[in-house]
Amino acid sequence: MKMISKIASVALGLVFIGSAVFAQSLDDAKKAIDAEQYQKAKGMLKNLTVTQPKSDENLFYLGWVYLIQDYADSAKATFTKGIALEPKSALNYVGLGAVALAANDNAGATSQFNQAISVTGKKDDQPYLYIGKAYLMDAKDGKFPPAKANAAIDALTKAKTINPKDVDVQVTLGNAYRSQLNSNAAYDAYQGALTLDPKSVSANVATGVLWRYAHNYEDSEKQFQAAIAIDPNYGPAYRELAETQKDEAQENIKVASAKIKEAVENYKKYITLTDESLESLLRYADFLVNAGDYTTLQEVATKLSKNANANARVYRYLGYAAYENKDYKAGLDALNSWFTKATPNRILPLDYYYLGRLQVAAGDTTKGIESLKKYADLDTNKVQDAYADIIAIYKAKKDYLNTAKAYDEETSKVHKPLVTDHVYQGIYYYFSFSSKNPDSTLLVKADSALSFAQKAMGDKVPPSIYQYRARVALLKDGDVNNMKGLPLPYYNKIIEYYTANPPTSDRDKKDFAEAYAYLGTYAQYHDKDDAKANENFTKAKELNPDSKQANYYFEQKNGGAASPPKKASK
């Protein structure tokens, strides 16, 4: 019996030792959330809600993880359960406010946040901290509206006043300032965090991101390496290092290839440290889009699509990758699915760009152009990219008028002088004018665009500008019996230019000859000066033996009966 009793005692002791080893605290779960190990954190928190069924705080953090993972319904249900357990649970009211923000219900969010504050203790900074995080979580496409960033800063400043030694508050406050490009305030907040805890990996990583914003890639990488030295398993450090290397690659072509390879490897490291969860794979997919690695993107997206619980965003990645890998039908099917499944606030401008390209590739240029214009309207920094595609579509169809209009729309939307595009705008308006479309306003638009380009070029105007302004003026000049001389100033400029810079190509010689031919015609019909006409037509013929105006003049002098060419041909 004694032996059995001893064995039982040993066994019982092992049970308690095992429980101590495998026990997981709320602090462990919070560390996992900070390290973006969301699956791991969720498992811990679900276990804690069973072992500690009366803790409303556990329910809050579980709901917070759901919200981070974009499962708003599960988050709301969990926060509501926390309030049912403890009606004065300030954090769970904050959680409901964060859910409202995610649904663009600003009034509902404010109401829930106010309720949270009303039940918050005087020495409790955590509700204010998470109100700040909620506003920062509400970023769309990585951008924080100033009003929400300011609301976050107000809440976080209150949290800092209550507890100036909270490192998480300092880091989050720095993030809020950084979102508004207030680098000095962000740096002060991060340094405050590092003063409180020099081994704070999140503060080191946040400082590294700030250096990246300043394009100081060397110091940025050093800061991430410092974080990795403190905790080699802190995934976000590898992700931000990868983002920094990607940005440096895009900015410096000399290191681009090597940096992109390093970036992809570091991002893979991040994935392995974050459980390869659906959420981390989705972030990896976003990174691959920005890095331009569409082969890997297709692999990751295909892997995600096989998971029954995959976020609908997988269709976005499948669409992007399929387009870049020239699988247009699959890409269009995927993006159509994304637009069907996604709520409007989840659609990115880039989604319309790829949708438009895929529609064009599938032969539907009308819808494709509509989507590309939508992209330009939603992202004003990408107007030129969108219109480059639109213009290429019209050019391929030899649709001169719509090509001109597309250039016109582009130059009106971009707030900088697109000189070359104004030139093409003018040229295509010129070519749009014809006997089938004798709309004189097209000539006005053509000359206006060319005039803008000429003024923008100052004293470095190429002869092609004068050439097309002369041709536009020629169409308004009347026939040889009613010449006004409208093209004269431009043809004189061409002669002046080529006299100083003798043409060498046949194309330039023909343009030079065109100027002399007009001067010859003007002298012949307007000035009735045959000597001057002869001189100019001789120069035209020397430069271009096939000049119609010059050949007609000399045939006429030699007794020919040909009809005079009325206009210079296009």
Side-chain angles (χ1 to χ4, degrees):
M1 287 291 290
K2 286 184 178 180
M3 181 62 70
I4 294 173
S5 177
K6 285 181 179 179
I7 292 172
S9 297
V10 171
L12 187 61
L14 288 173
V15 169
F16 283 122
I17 291 170
S19 298
V21 171
F22 294 105
Q24 295 168 333
S25 68
L26 180 58
D27 281 343
D28 292 327
K30 289 164 74 172
K31 286 178 183 178
I33 294 172
D34 180 52
E36 297 179 14
Q37 297 172 331
Y38 300 126
Q39 295 299 104
K40 179 179 178 181
K42 195 158 58 177
M44 290 179 178
L45 290 163
K46 284 182 177 179
N47 184 55
L48 286 170
T49 60
V50 173
T51 59
Q52 301 172 5
K54 295 184 179 181
S55 171
D56 59 293
E57 195 175 6
N58 291 335
L59 286 165
F60 165 72
Y61 285 102
L62 178 58
W64 194 256
V65 174
Y66 280 130
L67 194 58
I68 290 171
Q69 295 179 315
D70 205 16
Y71 298 123
D73 290 343
S74 297
K76 184 175 182 179
T78 307
F79 295 138
T80 302
K81 188 175 179 182
I83 291 169
L85 191 64
E86 172 51 70
K88 292 186 177 181
S89 179
L91 282 175
N92 280 293
Y93 282 115
V94 172
L96 289 177
V99 171
L101 275 182
N104 293 321
D105 180 6
N106 295 331
T110 300
S111 175
Q112 295 291 354
F113 292 154
N114 287 341
Q115 180 65 26
I117 291 169
S118 72
V119 295
T120 297
K122 291 183 179 180
K123 295 183 179 181
D124 187 1
D125 68 323
Q126 293 300 288
Y128 293 99
L129 168 61
Y130 279 90
I131 288 172
K133 288 189 176 188
Y135 278 116
L136 296 181
M137 185 188 289
D138 194 43
K140 297 293 184 292
D141 192 20
K143 297 175 183 176
F144 299 86
K148 291 184 177 178
N150 290 334
I153 290 168
D154 289 344
L156 293 162
T157 301
K158 179 68 174 177
K160 182 182 173 182
T161 301
I162 294 170
N163 184 3
K165 294 184 178 181
D166 191 324
V167 173
D168 197 6
V169 168
Q170 295 274 17
V171 173
T172 309
L173 181 58
N175 293 344
Y177 282 125
R178 190 183 71 207
S179 75
Q180 298 306 294
L181 304 182
N182 188 343
S183 300
N184 290 335
Y187 181 78
D188 289 344
Y190 296 147
Q191 288 304 298
L194 288 169
T195 299
L196 291 167
D197 181 8
K199 292 187 178 296
S200 168
V201 284
S202 62
N204 274 286
V205 169
T207 305
V209 175
L210 187 64
W211 290 131
R212 181 173 78 230
Y213 274 36
H215 303 275
N216 183 348
Y217 300 119
E218 183 179 354
D219 284 339
S220 181
E221 289 201 25
K222 285 180 182 177
Q223 205 76 47
F224 298 134
Q225 295 297 351
I228 290 167
I230 295 166
D231 184 356
N233 295 317
Y234 189 70
Y238 295 96
R239 186 193 68 242
E240 296 299 349
L241 176 57
E243 294 284 358
T244 299
Q245 290 166 331
K246 180 258 296 176
D247 286 358
E248 186 176 3
Q250 292 176 340
E251 196 168 292
N252 185 354
I253 195 167
K254 293 181 180 178
V255 300
S257 179
K259 286 294 180 182
I260 284 293
K261 288 180 182 177
E262 290 177 30
V264 171
E265 288 305 310
N266 278 312
Y267 217 107
K268 285 180 181 176
K269 179 74 172 177
Y270 162 71
I271 295 295
T272 63
L273 291 171
T274 52
D275 307 323
E276 289 198 26
S277 65
L278 292 176
E279 289 68 34
S280 59
L281 285 172
L282 286 167
R283 293 191 72 164
Y284 186 29
D286 284 327
F287 169 81
L288 292 169
V289 170
N290 291 322
D293 187 346
Y294 295 102
T295 301
T296 307
L297 177 64
Q298 193 154 26
E299 294 171 3
V300 172
T302 301
K303 182 177 181 179
L304 282 165
S305 69
K306 293 178 180 177
N307 190 306
N309 297 317
N311 191 298
R313 261 169 43 211
V314 69
Y315 291 105
R316 169 189 288 153
Y317 306 126
L318 286 170
Y320 287 13
Y323 172 80
E324 296 292 348
N325 295 322
K326 296 181 170 55
D327 189 356
Y328 300 127
K329 185 182 184 305
L332 187 57
D333 289 345
L335 269 191
N336 281 333
S337 293
W338 167 240
F339 274 85
T340 300
K341 295 175 183 295
T343 55
N345 65 314
R346 297 179 71 192
I347 300 295
L348 299 180
L350 194 62
D351 296 339
Y352 284 101
Y353 186 49
Y354 274 99
L355 178 64
R357 286 182 148 195
L358 285 163
Q359 288 166 332
V360 171
D364 193 342
T365 56
T366 301
K367 283 186 178 179
I369 289 169
E370 287 176 3
S371 296
L372 291 167
K373 286 186 176 182
K374 181 75 171 177
Y375 171 58
D377 289 339
L378 292 173
D379 189 343
T380 55
N381 293 319
K382 299 297 183 181
V383 170
Q384 288 174 263
D385 291 345
Y387 275 88
D389 280 26
I390 293 168
I391 288 164
I393 293 166
Y394 287 130
K395 282 184 178 179
K397 293 181 175 183
K398 295 186 178 180
D399 185 341
Y400 299 143
L401 181 55
N402 277 314
T403 301
K405 287 180 177 179
Y407 275 119
D408 203 341
E409 289 175 13
E410 178 203 27
T411 55
S412 68
K413 290 175 185 287
V414 177
H415 300 295
K416 58 182 178 179
L418 302 179
V419 178
T420 300
D421 288 18
H422 272 91
V423 172
Y424 285 119
Q425 179 183 328
I427 290 171
Y428 278 97
Y429 270 130
Y430 162 72
F431 279 113
S432 300
F433 183 88
S434 67
S435 59
K436 293 181 180 179
N437 187 18
D439 182 354
S440 61
T441 63
L442 298 175
L443 299 179
V444 174
K445 291 178 180 179
D447 193 59
S448 176
L450 292 166
S451 174
F452 176 91
Q454 181 181 326
K455 289 175 183 176
M457 290 176 178
D459 59 355
K460 296 181 180 179
V461 181
S464 58
I465 301 292
Y466 296 121
Q467 199 84 33
Y468 278 101
R469 292 202 73 184
R471 290 171 180 174
V472 170
L474 191 61
L475 290 172
K476 298 188 288 184
D477 197 40
D479 60 26
V480 292
N481 297 313
N482 189 31
M483 298 182 78
K484 304 180 187 71
L486 299 179
L488 273 176
Y490 310 116
Y491 280 130
N492 281 330
K493 282 288 187 181
I494 292 168
I495 291 169
E496 179 184 321
Y497 178 88
Y498 282 125
T499 299
N501 306 278
T504 54
S505 71
D506 289 341
R507 177 68 270 170
D508 290 346
K509 288 177 182 178
K510 286 180 179 180
D511 290 345
F512 197 6
E514 181 183 319
Y516 277 122
Y518 179 80
L519 264 62
T521 303
Y522 189 79
Q524 180 184 10
Y525 290 98
H526 184 273
D527 295 341
K528 312 298 184 185
D529 186 341
D530 191 60
K532 195 173 182 181
N534 188 78
E535 177 187 349
N536 284 300
F537 280 127
T538 298
K539 290 177 180 178
K541 191 167 178 62
E542 287 172 353
L543 288 162
N544 178 18
D546 295 326
S547 170
K548 292 180 180 179
Q549 288 86 352
N551 285 330
Y552 167 75
Y553 173 78
F554 290 113
E555 287 172 9
Q556 189 183 44
K557 285 195 72 172
N558 294 327
S563 299
K566 294 182 180 179
K567 303 281 183 184
S569 63
K570 291 185 182 180

